[in-house]
Amino acid sequence: MGQEQKEPYRVIVEEGTGEITEKKSRFIATVKRVESEEEAAAFVEAMKKKYWDASHNCSAMVIGERGELTRCSDDGEPSGTAGRPMLEVLLSEKLRNAAVVVTRYFGGILLGTGGLVRAYTQAVKEGLSGCKLGTMRAGVRLEVLTDYNGIGKILYIMGTKGIEPEDSLYTDTVQLVLLVPAEDKEALCKEFTEATAGKAKITVKEELYFVDKDLTR
C-alpha cells in the first residue's frame, strides 16, 4: 500500500437529502454513495426521471479512493454556476465515491451567476448535513497468537487503547484478530512483543481501509 493511498478520506455512511429556497426557487439536494462512474450515472438518470418536471437536475461526482475521477454537469444552467460549485463542496469535504444531484424548480426570479453559485453550493451543504459521514483510514488486520500467560497483558494494552478484537479463539493457545490504524501497527506490535517477552506471534493478515467510528458524524 503506497504512501499516497494512505491519506484518510470521507465516505457517506448514510445517504440523505436537503433543501433550500432562494428567491422562490427550490433547490433539492440528493446525496448518494456510489462505487463507479456507471453507478453514479444511473443515479443521475434516476433523479432526472424522478424530478422530470424540474427546471434543472445538476450533478457532481467524485469516484475513487484518491478522487481519480470527477464529473459535473450544469444541466442547462449558465456554465460554471452549478456543477463545478457542487463538485467543489464534495472535494472540500474530502469525500470519495459520492454523487449529488441538485434539483431546481425555478421560482420566476433570476438569481444571477453569483446567486446561482451560492444556491447550488448551499444546497449541497444542506444535503450533506442530512447524511452521516465517516472517515476511511488505512488499516491492518493483525492475527495475534499468544499463550494464557500473555493474553492478560495483551488484553490490558488493548483496553488502554480502546481496541476491541474482531474475533477471538481460545484453545490450548489464544488467537485474536484485530483491526488497527496502519500508523499504530509498529508501536502496538512492539508493546505486545515486550509485554509477552517475545512469545506473542503477530502476523499481518490484510491491509485495507476501514471506517473510523470515532470520526463518524
Side-chain angles (χ1 to χ4, degrees):
M1 188 182 289
Q3 190 64 34
E4 189 183 4
Q5 289 177 292
K6 291 190 177 183
E7 283 300 308
Y9 62 91
R10 303 176 89 200
V11 293
I12 297 154
V13 177
E14 289 179 14
E15 297 165 357
T17 60
E19 182 177 336
I20 66 165
T21 302
E22 188 68 33
K23 294 184 178 176
K24 298 186 179 178
S25 278
R26 284 177 68 204
F27 294 85
I28 306 162
T30 308
V31 185
K32 184 174 176 61
R33 182 169 178 168
V34 291
E35 301 299 330
S36 67
E37 185 179 7
E38 292 75 21
E39 192 180 341
F43 162 61
V44 173
E45 286 308 309
M47 289 297 99
K48 286 184 175 182
K49 284 180 182 175
K50 179 178 179 180
Y51 296 111
W52 60 271
D53 58 339
S55 312
H56 307 276
N57 283 288
C58 304
S59 59
M61 64 185 76
V62 183
I63 311 292
E65 291 172 354
R66 297 185 300 277
E68 298 93 327
L69 177 73
T70 59
R71 294 276 187 274
C72 59
S73 167
D74 294 313
D75 194 38
E77 292 281 30
S79 179
T81 61
R84 188 72 209 177
M86 291 165 59
L87 179 60
E88 290 298 336
V89 177
L90 299 183
L91 293 172
S92 69
E93 288 281 354
K94 290 188 165 61
L95 274 164
R96 302 291 182 263
N97 294 331
V100 59
V101 173
V102 174
T103 302
R104 181 190 184 190
Y105 284 93
F106 183 53
I109 301 173
L110 295 173
L111 300 183
T113 55
L116 286 172
V117 169
R118 285 190 296 274
Y120 279 102
T121 298
Q122 190 55 43
V124 176
K125 290 179 178 178
E126 196 67 26
L128 290 175
S129 71
C131 298
K132 191 172 184 181
L133 306 179
T135 297
M136 297 290 283
R137 296 179 68 182
V140 290
R141 185 165 276 124
L142 301 176
E143 181 184 86
V144 181
L145 197 64
T146 186
D147 57 23
Y148 282 87
N149 290 327
I151 188 60
K153 295 167 185 173
I154 284 176
L155 289 176
Y156 174 77
I157 293 168
M158 288 167 56
T160 62
K161 299 179 184 305
I163 301 170
E164 293 280 343
E166 281 192 319
D167 199 8
S168 56
L169 181 64
Y170 287 77
T171 54
D172 53 332
T173 58
V174 183
Q175 179 183 331
L176 301 177
V177 178
L178 315 178
L179 179 59
V180 299
E183 64 267 24
D184 296 344
K185 183 194 79 168
E186 296 299 332
L188 189 65
C189 289
K190 187 168 182 276
E191 282 194 62
F192 285 168
T193 301
E194 289 176 353
T196 61
K199 290 181 180 178
K201 183 184 176 187
I202 306 159
T203 309
V204 176
K205 304 298 287 183
E206 189 182 3
E207 294 185 343
L208 70 166
Y209 276 101
F210 69 102
V211 177
D212 190 331
K213 293 187 175 70
D214 293 337
L215 297 175
T216 298
R217 68 154 177 82

